Amino acid sequence: MSFRRGVVRQSKFRHVFAQAWKAEHCLDDVRVSRVTWDGPLCAVNPKFIAVIIEAAGGGTFLVTPIGKSGRIDQSCPTVCGHTAPVLDIQWCPHDDNIIASASEDCTVKVWQIPDGGLTSPMMDPIMTLEGHSKRVGILAWHPCAFNILLTAGCDNVVFVWNVGTGELVYQLADAHPDLIYSVSWNKDGSAVCTVCKDKALRIIDPRRGAVLKVREKVHDGTRPMRAVFLADGKILTTGFSRMSERQLALWDAKDLSEPMAVQEMDTSNGVLLPFYDPDTNMVYLCGKGDCTIRYFEVTDESPYVHFLSLYSSKEPQRGAGFLCKRGVDVNKCEIARFYKLHERKVEPISMTVPRKSDLFQGDLYPDTAGLEPALLADEWIAGQDAAPLLVSLSGGYAAPPYKHRDTLRSKPKLSSQDSGAGGAATAATVAAAPTPTPTSAAKEVEEETPQPRVTARETDGNGERPRREDEMLSELLAEMKALRAVVLAQNQRIELLERQLARIEDGDV
C-alpha cells in the first residue's frame, strides 16, 4: 500500500481558534424562550444583546447593553408589547438603536432602544406593521437601503415595508405554495432567495414580484431548510437528505441545475442555522440542540466549501446570536463572536486567528459594511441598487453620525436620540491615514500603495497627529528596536560559533 502526501490548502483561516468566555462574562438566569420555532432567538449588534425569553402571557424579549454580564434580575425591564410569543428579532443594520420583532400575534413591531438600555418596561413601539393573516416568523432588513424591511409569515406571503412611513410597498402572495422557511437578501439587495416547505429554492425580484429562478428539491429530506446569499452571488443551503442526514450545499445562482458542492455531516435532528461573514467568506453552522458550531470557508477552488474546524462543548445550544464585524475586538484578532443560548444562560464565544504581532491585521479585516445606508427607501423603491458603504476597522470602529439623520422625510418616527453621537466622520468623509513607518523608504512605498481608510478622529485644528496614530507609531518603533536587538544578539552568536568551528578545523581544540 502506498501513501501520497496531500498538498495542504493555503488559507489564513485554517487555524481559527474558538473559545468560550469565562463564566463571569456570561449572562446568567436568562429564561430563554421555549417557543417551537426554528429561529436563532437572539440578535446582537455592537451596542446591545436581545434575547427572546419566556413570558407569562404575551411576547417578551430582553435587551441589555453588550458589555453587561452576571445575573439578570427577574425585575429587569423588557420589551413586552406583543400579545403572543415573539418568534424573531432583528437589529436594523443602519441604526444600532432600532430593532424589529415578529410575533404569533400576526404583527411586526419596530422599537427604539435608548442608549444605555431600558430603564422601564417598553410596551409602545414606534411603528406597528399589520398585514399578515397568520403568525410572522421571518424578518430581514435590507442590507443597503434605509428603512426597508422584509417580513414573511405562516400565511406564505412575503411583505416588503417602508418602516419610516409604515407603508406596505411590495407584496408577494403567489410565489410560495407552502410554509416559507427562510429569506435572505443578496449583497446589493436587488433580489432575495427563499426556501419553502415544497423543498424548492427560489430567487425573487421583490420589486417586480417576479420569480427569477426555481430549483426543485434542493434537499430531499422533509425537515426544514435554510438558504443564504453569499457575497459573490452564490447561494448556500442547509437541509436534510432522504436518509435524514444533515447536508450543506452550494449553488451557482446563474445555474441551479446542479449543486456546485454537497457535504453530508451527521444524522442529528436539529435544523442547521447558517451565519455568513461576507468579509472572510466563512460560514458558521449552528444546529439547534447541538453542542457544536462548525465553520467552513467558501472559495473559488474545488471543492468550493472547505471544512475548517468545529467548536464543541458539553451543553446544547437553544439558539445563537452572531455579532457583526463592527463589534469584534480587532486588537485580539477576533474575526467573529457568537452568543450561545443555554437554557438559562447566554455565553459569548470568540473566534480568533492567532497572530504574534499586536499590530492591526489588515488581511483579516477588509473594509466592512458600516452604519451609513447606501440608499434611501424611496431610491430603492424607484429601482436603484447600490453596494453597501464600507468602513475601515483599522484603529477600532467609531460609529459615524448620519449627515441626513434629521432631513429624511421617512425618518422622524425612527429618529434615534443621537445614537451615533460621539462618533467620528461619516464613511463618505473618512480620511485616508496610512500606517506610520519610521523610514523614508517605507513612506515612499506607502505613497505608491493604496492604503485602507482609517476612521478619522477630531483634532483641535492645530495639525497635531491624532493620539491613536502616535500610539501606533510608538508601538511600531518599540517593536523594531526589540527586533534589532534580537538580530544583533544572533549575529554575535553566529560569529562566536564560526570562530569555534574554525579552531576545530585548525586542530586547536
Side-chain angles (χ1 to χ4, degrees):
M1 182 181 295
S2 62
F3 294 91
R4 294 181 60 188
R5 185 175 181 179
V7 178
V8 178
R9 188 181 66 92
Q10 296 296 320
S11 171
K12 52 181 168 286
F13 303 115
R14 286 181 56 238
H15 303 292
V16 173
F17 177 65
Q19 185 174 26
W21 291 21
K22 295 181 179 179
E24 56 264 28
H25 300 300
C26 299
L27 289 174
D28 296 314
D29 210 13
V30 178
R31 299 167 297 152
V32 178
S33 174
R34 297 178 178 275
V35 65
T36 56
W37 185 258
D38 291 320
L41 305 180
C42 179
V44 191
N45 69 17
K47 279 189 177 182
F48 301 103
I49 305 171
V51 181
I52 302 174
I53 59 175
E54 284 288 296
T60 302
F61 62 95
L62 173 73
V63 177
T64 67
I66 195 167
K68 184 177 177 60
S69 59
R71 182 177 178 274
I72 300 297
D73 193 86
Q74 299 301 318
S75 61
C76 180
T78 59
V79 181
C80 49
H82 285 284
T83 58
V86 177
L87 300 180
D88 194 17
I89 47 178
Q90 293 291 331
W91 290 102
C92 175
H94 305 125
D95 191 330
D96 285 340
N97 293 69
I98 300 297
I99 187 171
S101 59
S103 169
E104 288 188 1
D105 63 10
C106 306
T107 67
V108 173
K109 297 180 184 291
V110 182
W111 314 82
Q112 180 175 301
I113 308 300
D115 287 329
L118 301 176
T119 56
S120 60
M122 180 174 285
M123 301 184 65
D124 298 320
I126 56 175
M127 180 66 67
T128 299
L129 307 176
E130 298 178 327
H132 287 282
S133 59
K134 293 185 179 180
R135 60 180 181 170
V136 188
I138 298 174
L139 298 170
W141 290 94
H142 194 286
C144 309
F146 192 53
N147 278 347
I148 295 295
L149 176 66
L150 181 148
T151 65
C154 293
D155 51 7
N156 310 334
V157 179
V158 174
F159 289 155
V160 180
W161 309 83
N162 181 347
V163 175
T165 61
E167 177 187 3
L168 174 62
V169 292
Y170 299 108
Q171 177 176 341
L172 304 172
D174 302 322
H176 302 89
D178 212 327
L179 179 66
I180 303 168
Y181 285 142
S182 76
V183 180
S184 174
W185 292 96
N186 65 353
K187 184 178 181 178
D188 63 0
S190 60
V192 296
C193 67
T194 68
V195 284
C196 178
K197 196 173 182 179
D198 65 354
K199 305 180 184 180
L201 168 66
R202 293 173 174 84
I203 301 176
I204 300 173
D205 182 342
R207 287 174 294 196
R208 290 165 44 197
V211 178
L212 305 179
K213 291 182 182 296
V214 180
R215 163 66 190 193
E216 305 290 344
K217 287 193 176 182
V218 178
H219 297 279
D220 291 330
T222 58
R223 301 274 296 151
M225 300 181 296
R226 291 291 184 273
V228 59
F229 252 121
L230 306 187
D232 58 1
K234 297 182 179 67
I235 299 174
L236 185 137
T237 62
T238 63
F240 294 79
S241 69
R242 185 178 288 107
M243 304 302 294
S244 296
E245 293 177 306
R246 293 197 292 191
Q247 290 181 326
L248 166 70
L250 184 67
W251 304 83
D252 185 349
K254 299 177 182 178
D255 182 8
L256 298 178
S257 59
E258 292 294 335
M260 298 176 62
V262 177
Q263 289 193 20
E264 295 183 348
M265 281 166 279
D266 54 33
T267 56
S268 296
N269 293 325
V271 177
L272 286 171
L273 305 179
F275 296 92
Y276 175 60
D277 180 0
D279 301 328
T280 60
N281 226 29
M282 289 177 60
V283 177
Y284 302 84
L285 299 184
C286 299
K288 299 200 73 172
D290 287 6
C291 299
T292 60
I293 299 175
R294 296 175 174 85
Y295 34 105
F296 302 79
E297 183 179 6
V298 182
T299 69
D300 294 329
E301 304 172 3
S302 180
Y304 305 109
V305 181
H306 306 272
F307 174 73
L308 295 175
S309 186
L310 61 83
Y311 165 79
S312 183
S313 62
K314 296 180 180 179
E315 298 292 330
Q317 55 221 11
R318 300 280 298 278
F322 185 62
L323 179 63
C324 68
K325 194 58 67 70
R326 291 185 292 111
V328 301
D329 189 346
V330 298
N331 297 316
K332 295 181 179 179
C333 295
E334 182 184 43
I335 62 169
R337 188 188 307 166
F338 283 87
Y339 286 81
K340 176 181 175 179
L341 302 187
H342 298 251
E343 188 172 356
R344 296 185 69 91
K345 183 173 74 171
V346 180
E347 178 185 40
I349 300 172
S350 288
M351 307 287 181
T352 58
V353 177
R355 293 285 173 90
K356 293 181 179 180
S357 174
D358 292 331
L359 299 179
F360 176 74
Q361 305 296 313
D363 62 322
L364 298 182
Y365 301 103
D367 289 358
T368 190
L371 278 174
E372 189 75 10
L375 297 171
L376 304 182
D378 292 340
E379 293 173 336
W380 181 79
I381 294 170
Q384 295 187 38
D385 292 317
L389 297 181
L390 305 181
V391 295
S392 173
L393 295 178
S394 175
Y397 176 76
Y402 292 130
K403 59 186 177 184
H404 53 5
R405 176 178 293 278
D406 298 324
T407 60
L408 285 179
R409 286 179 294 174
S410 60
K411 179 63 180 175
K413 295 179 181 179
L414 297 183
S415 180
S416 181
Q417 300 173 350
D418 299 329
S419 63
T426 63
T429 59
V430 173
T435 304
T437 55
T439 64
S440 59
K443 290 179 180 177
E444 292 177 1
V445 173
E446 287 183 348
E447 290 175 358
E448 297 175 358
T449 305
Q451 296 294 325
R453 296 179 299 169
V454 179
T455 303
R457 291 175 179 266
E458 294 183 0
T459 63
D460 55 3
N462 61 0
E464 292 182 0
R465 191 188 303 273
R467 181 178 302 177
R468 177 64 184 175
E469 191 173 341
D470 289 340
E471 293 175 357
M472 292 175 63
L473 180 59
S474 299
E475 293 174 0
L476 186 59
L477 291 174
E479 187 169 350
M480 290 187 64
K481 289 178 180 179
L483 289 173
R484 186 172 183 271
V486 171
V487 171
L488 291 175
Q490 294 299 325
N491 283 339
Q492 294 174 359
R493 175 66 174 164
I494 290 171
E495 291 175 0
L496 177 61
L497 292 174
E498 287 177 343
R499 288 197 297 269
Q500 290 179 353
L501 179 61
R503 291 174 59 190
I504 293 174
E505 291 176 346
D506 295 340
D508 295 340
V509 178

